Amino acid sequence: MSTLNPFTIAQQQLDEAAVRLGLDSATHELLRWPMREYHFTLPVKMDNGATRIFKGFRVQYNNARGPTKGGIRWHPEETIDTVRALAAWMTWKTSVVDIPLGGGKGGIVCNPKEMSNGEKERLARAYIRAVGRELGVHRDVPAPDVYTTPQIMAWMMDEYETIMGYSHPGVITGKPLPVGGSEGRGDATARGGVYIVREAAQAMNINVKNASYAIQGFGNAGQFAATLHQEILGGGTLLAATDSRGGVFNSSGLDPQALVKHKLESGALTGFPGGKPISNEEILELQCDVLYPAALEGVVTAKNASNIKAKIMCELANGPTTPEADKILYEKGVYVLPDFLANAGGVTVSYFEQVQNTYNYYWSLEDVHKQLDRKMTDAFKSVYDMSKKTRVHNRLSAYMVSVSRVAEACKIRGWV
Ligand code: NAD
């Protein structure tokens, strides 16, 4: 795993794209930094009567293309630099799928696993009391992220509406359906990833109906990818899946629905009938057509990249591939669908939620799927065309698409 500061990595990635694009120095410098950031000290009454002081952040990285958008993370090791990096990545993510939003991110240093529901609610409301005046559908729209849930979003929306004195459900997305959530949010990340696997396979003349696939990480993104891969592509053989405790493999294929049921009931993949054990390292090097890393960052490195045999690697996880590994995979001919493109389905449906809230009319599930497919397919095409034109690996090509769009918006506004 990389030990570099995540914000330094984000800046280096931008630098490479900026040089390739020939950005002028003012635009380049502008895009290297958050445009605005807030640091909060939040007093919260705990169940035992004591007051605890929490630290929180909100970074509004760039709003040239529209209001900033990005999740709120609750994590004991949260730092401002992690939030800055994630806010930068949100800026490139909303741009690559061409939705009219900028990028942002928030965080609170806390351990929600040690907090009661009442304490979580008071912390959620305290955060909104601190940041609320900087939020809104025309300013900055948060969403769930690591250890934050639809319920937490509902408390935050309620606090915001109470302070403002009017209904404003679009201030936050990822809400439960009864208070303005969108159909189709639950599986949107995996669904968006599978849509672009379909496009990549077509570009590479791979027959997806017969393709084999493997999934590292079997949480929200991984479980939905397991079933949606076959549903959307009309076939395929799930060879293996792993979670933090190891996983299962079968060369004749595993039944994805049964595997998800087994995981939900037993809490693990191991012990699934007909599955031979496979480790988290082995699954990455498996002979298969499509590999979905859907767990952690930094798993594909200079050490194992040359052993990856998949034809397509669809990064549902954030940051699974190190920069050195990217170059090796490109030279080897592994077709990488980079994280901020591959997992952009979630923010795209969050944007649809915001749109539905704003005009107070709600779409059917079919409408959500249709619009998501269109957005992901168009995004894939832009990245594909850029990579053909510039002959660079897909991550750099995706950066070039995103950064050029944000740079153009900055220029048109007269900022640079
Ligand atoms: P999750 O917590 O639901 O699932 C994570 C899974 O990874 C679990 O099955 C866990 O057991 C497994 N895991 C943990 N350590 C592992 C290890 N060492 N090896 C293999 N598996 C391991 O998380 P999620 O929401 O599915 O997110 C997974 C990844 O996708 C993250 O990188 C996340 O940032 C990214 N992502 C998710 C969404 C989303 O909408 N869920 C959106 C964008 C990006």
Side-chain angles (χ1 to χ4, degrees):
M1 204 182 291
S2 176
T3 50
L4 268 183
N5 175 323
F7 187 48
T8 309
I9 296 176
Q11 287 184 316
Q12 285 172 354
Q13 290 167 334
L14 167 73
D15 292 347
E16 199 180 350
V19 169
R20 287 270 181 175
L21 288 166
L23 283 194
D24 63 275
S25 57
T27 307
H28 182 177
E29 187 63 8
L30 176 64
L31 299 184
R32 292 190 93 233
W33 301 100
M35 296 195 73
R36 237 170 261 105
E37 63 183 43
Y38 306 94
H39 295 233
F40 313 108
T41 302
L42 309 170
V44 174
K45 287 270 183 307
M46 305 305 278
D47 290 347
N48 64 5
T51 297
R52 243 182 91 180
I53 310 300
F54 293 88
K55 293 284 175 196
F57 315 106
R58 183 75 190 167
V59 173
Q60 297 172 345
Y61 195 85
N62 187 291
N63 63 353
R65 287 174 45 83
T68 47
K69 172 100 194 103
I72 300 173
R73 294 154 41 97
W74 286 12
H75 198 277
E77 277 142 40
E78 193 61 284
T79 68
I80 184 64
D81 275 341
T82 313
V83 179
R84 285 176 179 144
L86 288 160
W89 288 324
M90 281 306 295
T91 308
W92 315 135
K93 194 184 288 200
T94 54
S95 176
V96 81
V97 281
D98 200 14
I99 52 183
L101 298 173
K105 207 78 175 185
I108 301 181
V109 187
C110 68
N111 187 354
K113 288 183 182 165
E114 292 172 356
M115 294 166 68
S116 71
N117 267 342
E119 289 168 344
K120 286 186 208 171
E121 177 173 352
R122 293 193 287 280
L123 179 60
R125 290 183 186 277
Y127 185 80
I128 293 301
R129 284 198 298 279
V131 73
R133 75 199 68 182
E134 313 304 338
L135 303 180
V137 80
H138 299 298
R139 280 192 173 169
D140 182 15
V141 181
D145 206 293
V146 172
Y147 293 146
T148 52
T149 59
Q151 174 62 73
I152 292 175
M153 299 304 108
W155 289 325
M156 289 184 166
M157 176 195 76
D158 184 70
E159 187 69 18
Y160 183 87
E161 292 187 343
T162 305
I163 294 168
M164 297 299 173
Y166 50 74
S167 167
H168 194 123
V171 68
I172 204 156
T173 59
K175 302 177 294 292
L177 276 176
V179 290
S182 176
E183 294 284 358
R185 179 63 186 85
D187 70 9
T189 300
R191 180 174 288 277
V194 177
Y195 285 146
I196 58 167
V197 165
R198 181 193 63 204
E199 296 304 308
Q202 197 179 357
M204 296 170 74
N205 283 322
I206 296 172
N207 178 353
V208 277
K209 286 201 171 77
N210 299 330
S212 57
Y213 63 110
I215 302 174
Q216 188 200 47
F218 217 62
N220 177 293
Q223 286 174 32
F224 280 122
T227 52
L228 287 173
H229 180 101
Q230 295 188 1
E231 190 185 311
I232 293 170
L233 306 181
T237 306
L238 175 61
L239 290 181
T242 56
D243 65 13
S244 56
R245 290 189 256 171
V248 284
F249 163 79
N250 188 323
S251 57
S252 316
L254 300 157
D255 175 348
Q257 271 89 8
L259 193 60
V260 170
K261 190 163 176 276
H262 176 82
K263 164 83 183 173
L264 294 177
E265 283 171 6
S266 73
L269 290 167
T270 47
F272 181 67
K276 296 188 200 108
I278 184 167
S279 73
N280 268 308
E281 292 73 38
E282 288 164 343
I283 195 171
L284 295 172
E285 301 181 9
L286 200 64
Q287 184 79 50
C288 66
D289 294 310
V290 185
L291 174 66
Y292 292 95
L296 298 179
E297 65 278 13
V299 291
V300 181
T301 65
K303 271 194 185 151
N304 62 359
S306 55
N307 299 331
I308 306 275
K309 298 173 195 74
K311 294 181 184 137
I312 297 172
M313 190 167 98
C314 177
E315 296 182 343
L316 294 179
N318 278 316
T321 307
T322 65
E324 305 79 43
D326 253 333
K327 294 196 177 74
I328 299 170
L329 294 173
Y330 181 59
E331 278 154 23
K332 210 173 171 280
V334 178
Y335 199 83
V336 176
L337 295 167
D339 49 8
F340 70 97
L341 167 65
N343 66 34
V347 72
T348 303
V349 174
S350 267
Y351 162 64
F352 295 161
E353 179 177 336
Q354 194 180 320
V355 169
Q356 294 168 76
N357 293 151
T358 303
Y359 63 68
N360 205 9
Y361 175 81
Y362 288 82
W363 305 355
S364 67
L365 185 59
E366 292 69 35
D367 286 340
V368 171
H369 290 169
K370 204 167 116 197
Q371 296 297 336
L372 176 62
D373 195 349
R374 188 173 62 84
K375 276 285 169 206
M376 296 303 299
T377 302
D378 288 352
F380 172 82
K381 288 201 174 113
S382 307
V383 173
Y384 179 80
D385 291 346
M386 178 65 88
S387 73
K388 285 277 160 217
K389 196 167 89 184
T390 55
R391 300 184 168 278
V392 298
H393 60 78
N394 280 347
R395 190 174 326 274
L396 182 51
S397 147
Y399 258 95
M400 289 169 73
V401 169
S402 300
V403 171
S404 62
R405 286 177 180 162
V406 179
E408 184 189 21
C410 293
K411 192 159 216 69
I412 292 170
R413 283 175 180 274
W415 291 352
V416 281

